[in-house]
Amino acid sequence: KINKNNLWLYQKTDLADPLQLSILSPGTAVGPRDDVIDYLDAFHTVTKEWTNFSECHPKHSKSDDGTAVVNYLQVKQRLPHGTRIISYRTGIVNNIGYEGRNAYEAHLYFWEFKGLTSEEASKMTYRGAKGEGWIDTDYKITDADGQFIDALFQKSAIVYEYNAFGTPFTDWFDKRLGLSSSASMDVDDTAPPSTNEGGDGTEKEQLDPHLVPTVIIAGTQKGGTL
């Protein structure tokens, strides 16, 4: 199945198979300050260009989160020189929103089918959660301690859109942080940790502004709806 994002990119490129294309996420751009500013300048330039066309004016697409712009930059080869695009759920950024939305939607549907209201269903824990975890490890998104892992089963340095898993996760996270409710949280879900060590003491990928003059952009799952 080809979604509209893949189809749009396919129409703008010479690739024979649209499924070869993965959609870039605008949610995370990581790098040294000057390089990130160059990336944001390119982003802003395209946005201003599009305001010259009435059919593309931002007022007609208030819900867009930048997906169109960042993928346009990719297709037109206008991303700053040295930009790295990391594959879905690998590298320093773990973009987990696609799985989160699917898991939470299925979770709510199951409990509502059992007769619970939407509010009641949202407060139920995920089925299959064991021990210190908050979701079944068969999903392959967390380890036994409930920590997010990437496609290579490594703990993630930066997790984007973790809140897509809804109340079952945020309640568990609150307890780990010693908070009483998710409403009292004040956590930046895109900020990198202050250390380059994971929770298990393993070395994590680190950005050195002298060695990595680049911006890293995370890819999303092929065919995923953004």
Side-chain angles (χ1 to χ4, degrees):
K1 183 179 179 179
I2 304 172
N3 75 357
K4 60 182 180 181
N5 290 326
N6 290 79
L7 182 60
W8 180 84
L9 284 180
Y10 172 60
Q11 294 169 342
K12 301 295 182 181
T13 65
D14 297 325
L15 290 179
D17 182 5
L19 293 179
Q20 294 177 21
L21 295 163
S22 62
I23 306 302
L24 301 185
S25 167
T28 314
V30 182
R33 177 181 180 276
D34 290 344
D35 294 321
V36 171
I37 289 176
D38 288 343
Y39 164 71
L40 294 176
D41 282 344
F43 199 101
H44 183 245
T45 297
V46 168
T47 303
K48 288 183 64 178
E49 290 175 0
W50 287 2
T51 61
N52 294 324
F53 301 94
S54 58
E55 66 273 20
C56 296
H57 198 277
K59 70 179 181 181
H60 298 303
S61 57
K62 293 181 180 179
S63 62
D64 182 67
D65 58 4
T67 302
V69 176
V70 71
N71 284 280
Y72 178 85
L73 289 170
Q74 178 200 26
V75 170
K76 296 298 185 180
Q77 299 182 343
R78 292 176 59 176
L79 288 169
H81 177 71
T83 299
R84 288 172 55 197
I85 297 171
I86 60 174
S87 299
Y88 160 72
R89 291 190 61 207
T90 64
I92 193 171
V93 179
N94 187 355
N95 190 334
I96 206 74
Y98 177 78
E99 284 81 358
R101 285 184 287 273
N102 285 343
Y104 193 51
E105 180 180 351
H107 172 76
L108 294 178
Y109 178 83
F110 174 81
W111 288 111
E112 289 173 6
F113 181 78
K114 292 288 187 179
L116 273 62
T117 65
S118 296
E119 183 178 358
E120 292 170 336
S122 69
K123 297 178 181 179
M124 299 297 293
T125 58
Y126 278 104
R127 291 180 298 148
K130 300 176 183 178
E132 297 295 322
W134 55 274
I135 195 170
D136 197 328
T137 54
D138 285 348
Y139 274 95
K140 309 297 183 187
I141 55 173
T142 64
D143 60 17
D145 294 326
Q147 302 293 323
F148 283 109
I149 55 176
D150 61 20
L152 303 176
F153 304 102
Q154 300 294 316
K155 288 186 178 179
S156 305
I158 300 175
V159 179
Y160 178 63
E161 286 193 317
Y162 60 73
N163 55 333
F165 286 92
T167 306
F169 170 74
T170 56
D171 282 351
W172 174 88
F173 195 35
D174 287 348
K175 292 178 182 178
R176 293 294 291 261
L177 295 176
L179 302 177
S180 59
S181 69
S182 57
S184 62
M185 289 180 64
D186 185 17
V187 179
D188 183 354
D189 65 344
T190 61
S194 58
T195 176
N196 66 326
E197 290 186 352
D200 57 354
T202 57
E203 193 78 6
K204 306 301 290 186
E205 182 178 358
Q206 189 177 32
L207 293 179
D208 185 331
H210 302 293
L211 299 178
V212 190
T214 184
V215 173
I216 296 178
I217 301 174
T220 65
Q221 177 159 352
K222 291 183 179 181
T225 301
L226 301 175

